[in-house]
Amino acid sequence: MIERQVTAELVERLDSAPAVALLGPRQVGKTTLAQTIGEERDALYLDLESEADRAKLAEPELYLAQHEDKLVILDEVHRLPEIFQPLRGLIDKGRRKGLRTGRFLLLGSASIDLLAQSGESLAGRISYLEMGPLGIVEAPKQDGDKLWLRGGFPDSFLARSDHLSMRWRRDFIRTYLERDIPMFGPRIPAETLRRFWTMLAHHQSSLLNASEFARSLGVDSKTVASYLDLMVDLLLVRRLEPWHSNASKRLVKSPRIYVRDSGLVHALLGIVTSEDLLGHPVAGASWEGFALESLIMAAPEGTAANFYRSAAGAEIDLLLTLPGGELWAIEFKRSLAPKVERGFHHAADDLAPARKIIVYPGTEAYPSGHGLEVMPLRDAARLLAGQA
């Protein structure tokens, strides 16, 4: 079993809040982690995709009151959104008995229903934590390239061969398109959404051009925006917003779009092996997205992520504003002799970041001119994780 970075944070939140929602795409390991923690806490596990377990909650107050001394794990909780209102009453009753923490662990494959329901019912009673696919720090050091190719979903990453990994990801995409997405959002033809998802993969790390997507799909821009909102809410796509705090510059206002898991990018584009990937035009953008997602995952809670791009050409791939307000400027270069363009220096002059880092696929960290630090992706992720 691969040790997940989120474990310690999840345990800490369970020890400080009555309810914790662990959110993430399907198959990232939420259930495995929850059950491991549950074994240590004499927990009650209910899978709400099981009719038998849902039947137990026909009268949730009566049933759960019998287990108030246990951690109750509710898996795929979005299947039973009406459970949130009873949970509020049970949490409040428990507080009066001195049961103030570690009551409920809610697992969800998306943020849509959880946020809508708990925003009304569990405000002040629930803590949210996101769990993504495996990050660069969690994978064995020698497997960085394999993680990039196959992505971070554990079953894909640990598959016996690249072809079996690709089969798993294709099945994953099909299941999302045919079963999961229709459950969460409006009825969208699976083939239309597959085309949209594939177009996003082709445009990995690019500025969003909704009108171009709309023309290709034969829909309007508002429909494209709704498709994108759905993919973002399902935690499958990242919409990286532009930096907007410098009023003296004309800045780009469109977000950048990333399919969050590099393995899904490659599955959507039919890239099976490392040789296929290195010869594909998307290789550079794919590695940038992989590195960007790894750093955002490693950054401490409360870190804000943006990119910077001015009309004059000043540009920074990733700006991280740490919880204390310190600004880090990060540039991604898939080269063993990385150099930044003049636009990066102009942007750094505009923003005066505390640290300027070039992340590259090499193995050695070293200082460069103009206050730049060159470092491997794994080192940069560990550095960020240590800022917590």
Side-chain angles (χ1 to χ4, degrees):
M1 180 177 172
I2 298 174
E3 181 68 26
R4 299 307 303 268
Q5 273 188 302
V6 76
T7 303
E9 181 68 23
L10 178 56
V11 169
E12 181 182 322
R13 295 196 188 201
L14 285 170
D15 290 338
S16 60
V20 178
L22 184 63
L23 305 174
R26 284 184 177 276
Q27 303 296 321
V28 293
K30 301 187 301 295
T31 300
T32 301
L33 176 57
Q35 290 178 334
T36 300
I37 291 174
E39 290 172 1
E40 302 168 357
R41 297 187 176 224
D42 186 28
L44 171 69
Y45 173 81
L46 297 173
D47 180 2
L48 300 187
E49 292 200 322
S50 160
E51 288 188 17
D53 281 356
R54 285 204 305 273
K56 295 175 183 178
L57 294 173
E59 295 288 343
E61 294 94 338
L62 294 176
Y63 180 77
L64 294 175
Q66 302 173 38
H67 302 282
E68 64 180 13
D69 58 331
K70 298 179 179 179
L71 170 66
V72 176
I73 302 171
L74 301 177
D75 202 350
E76 301 298 342
V77 69
H78 50 269
R79 287 282 190 174
L80 198 65
E82 59 269 24
I83 194 67
F84 286 100
Q85 193 64 42
L87 290 184
R88 174 180 177 173
L90 289 164
I91 288 171
D92 291 346
K93 288 178 183 176
R95 281 174 167 172
R96 292 192 286 272
K97 296 180 182 179
L99 304 172
R100 307 188 69 83
T101 62
R103 300 287 310 284
F104 299 100
L105 175 54
L106 315 178
L107 310 182
S109 298
S111 61
I112 301 171
D113 287 279
L114 279 173
L115 291 176
Q117 293 291 331
S118 63
E120 299 171 8
S121 303
L122 294 181
R125 302 168 180 84
I126 189 168
S127 177
Y128 293 101
L129 185 61
E130 185 179 320
M131 181 176 181
L134 295 170
I136 188 68
V137 175
E138 295 169 314
K141 188 172 183 179
Q142 69 274 14
D143 287 341
D145 286 341
K146 185 171 86 169
L147 183 66
W148 173 33
L149 173 68
R150 297 183 178 185
F153 288 93
D155 287 342
S156 174
F157 175 68
L158 296 171
R160 293 194 305 273
S161 70
D162 289 342
H163 287 276
L164 288 174
S165 171
M166 173 62 88
R167 181 186 300 167
W168 184 93
R169 280 174 278 144
R170 284 175 173 161
D171 290 342
F172 175 90
I173 290 168
R174 185 179 304 115
T175 300
Y176 253 100
L177 290 171
E178 296 176 358
R179 194 194 77 156
D180 293 334
I181 290 177
M183 178 181 69
F184 283 110
R187 300 294 296 186
I188 302 170
E191 187 54 37
T192 299
L193 206 54
R194 175 185 287 276
R195 286 175 58 204
F196 178 63
W197 206 350
T198 304
M199 287 166 62
L200 291 176
H202 275 291
H203 289 78
Q204 181 79 338
S205 86
S206 298
L207 294 175
L208 173 64
N209 187 335
S211 59
E212 180 183 344
F213 287 153
R215 284 194 299 273
S216 299
L217 293 171
V219 299
D220 59 33
S221 295
K222 289 184 179 179
T223 302
V224 167
S226 69
Y227 291 173
L228 182 60
D229 286 343
L230 178 61
M231 302 297 275
V232 170
D233 280 333
L234 287 168
L235 308 174
L236 296 170
V237 171
R238 181 175 297 280
R239 182 168 41 203
L240 188 68
E241 298 294 341
W243 179 267
H244 53 77
S245 297
N246 192 334
S248 64
K249 300 286 182 178
R250 289 179 56 225
L251 303 179
V252 167
K253 296 181 180 179
S254 297
R256 270 185 169 162
I257 304 301
Y258 297 86
V259 176
R260 292 177 63 162
D261 182 72
S262 59
L264 294 184
V265 173
H266 304 151
L268 289 163
L269 300 180
I271 298 170
V272 180
T273 67
S274 295
E275 289 74 18
D276 296 338
L277 175 56
L278 294 176
H280 198 282
V282 84
S286 169
W287 192 82
E288 177 183 327
F290 167 66
L292 178 140
E293 196 65 29
S294 295
L295 296 189
I296 293 176
M297 285 173 56
E301 181 191 2
T303 298
N306 302 93
F307 74 97
Y308 183 92
R309 187 170 179 178
S310 74
E315 185 169 2
I316 294 173
D317 290 335
L318 179 62
L319 280 172
L320 294 177
T321 307
L322 301 184
E326 189 170 276
L327 189 64
W328 289 21
I330 299 170
E331 191 78 1
F332 301 107
K333 294 294 180 185
R334 202 180 69 84
S335 165
L336 294 180
K339 295 180 181 179
V340 296
E341 289 78 17
R342 187 177 300 172
F344 178 88
H345 295 296
H346 289 327
D349 290 342
D350 293 341
L351 299 172
R355 299 189 80 152
K356 296 181 289 185
I357 299 171
I358 304 175
V359 172
Y360 82 126
T363 59
E364 184 180 357
Y366 59 90
S368 186
H370 305 284
L372 284 164
E373 306 168 74
V374 179
M375 63 180 66
L377 175 58
R378 184 180 297 269
D379 290 7
R382 285 180 170 162
L383 181 64
L384 272 169
Q387 298 299 309

